[in-house]
Amino acid sequence: MQHSIHIKIFGNPPTRTAQQKGLKVVNGHPMFFEKKVVRDAKTELMWKLKPYVPAEPMTGPLYIEIRWAFELKSCKAPHYKTTRPDLDNLEKGLLDVLGTMGFFHDDAQVVDKRTDKWAVPVGNGGLEIVIREVE
C-alpha cells in the first residue's frame, strides 16, 4: 500500500479551470458542456500525471498539498499570484483529474489541504503535488 505520493511536473501549469463551461440550448433546455480548451488542458495534465498513478487508489482520509507556479515574463522574483485563474477553480479541476485517474476513490477523502499559487520567472514554472494518507 502506498502511503505518500510526491509529484513534480515542470513547465507552466494549465490555466483552464473546471468552472469554464459552455452553454447551449437544446429543445428549449439549457445544457452545460465542457469546452474543448478545458478538455485539452485536462488531457495534457493526465499525460503528465500518468507516470505517478499508483497501482491501487489511496484509501482513507488524505492530506493534499498543491503548489502552482505560473511563469510570467514580467516576473523577476517569485511572489504570490493574485490574479486569475482562481485557486479554488484550479483545485477543483485537478482533484477531478486525480480522482478520475485513480489516485484516490473520491475527492471527499481529502480532509486536509494546503494550496498556494505563485508567479515565477520564465523557466521556473511547474506543479507540485503531495498526497499523503492520514492516520
Side-chain angles (χ1 to χ4, degrees), residues 70-123:
F70 292 98
E71 298 176 353
L72 299 179
K73 291 177 187 171
S74 61
C75 184
K76 302 297 181 218
H79 60 274
Y80 285 121
K81 185 176 187 310
T82 57
T83 58
R84 294 185 184 271
D86 295 354
L87 193 57
D88 57 335
N89 295 336
L90 287 168
E91 287 175 342
K92 177 66 177 142
L94 177 61
L95 290 175
D96 288 347
V97 167
L98 292 170
T100 299
M101 294 184 74
F103 283 86
F104 41 75
H105 294 288
D106 189 324
D107 58 4
Q109 290 173 249
V110 178
V111 297
D112 192 7
K113 170 180 68 170
R114 182 187 192 302
T115 310
D116 52 22
K117 179 177 69 163
W118 292 82
V120 296
V122 173

Side-chain angles (χ1 to χ4, degrees), residues 4 18 20 24 29 40 52 54 60 67 69 74 87 92 97 103 108 110 119-120 128:
S4 181
Q20 294 175 316
K24 64 181 175 182
H29 299 286
D40 291 348
Y52 301 97
R67 172 158 290 165
S74 61
L87 193 57
K92 177 66 177 142
V97 167
F103 283 86
V110 178
V120 296
E128 190 169 358

Side-chain angles (χ1 to χ4, degrees), residues 24-31:
K24 64 181 175 182
V25 178
V26 178
N27 296 327
H29 299 286
M31 299 192 68

Side-chain angles (χ1 to χ4, degrees), residues 31-88:
M31 299 192 68
F32 292 95
F33 63 94
E34 193 171 66
K35 291 182 178 180
K36 183 180 182 326
V37 292
V38 175
R39 282 194 316 268
D40 291 348
K42 283 185 176 181
T43 300
E44 179 185 348
L45 186 57
M46 287 173 129
W47 276 107
K48 291 179 178 180
L49 290 170
K50 190 174 180 178
Y52 301 97
V53 176
E56 295 289 326
M58 298 176 86
T59 59
L62 301 174
Y63 166 80
I64 189 164
E65 189 172 320
I66 307 166
R67 172 158 290 165
W68 304 86
F70 292 98
E71 298 176 353
L72 299 179
K73 291 177 187 171
S74 61
C75 184
K76 302 297 181 218
H79 60 274
Y80 285 121
K81 185 176 187 310
T82 57
T83 58
R84 294 185 184 271
D86 295 354
L87 193 57
D88 57 335

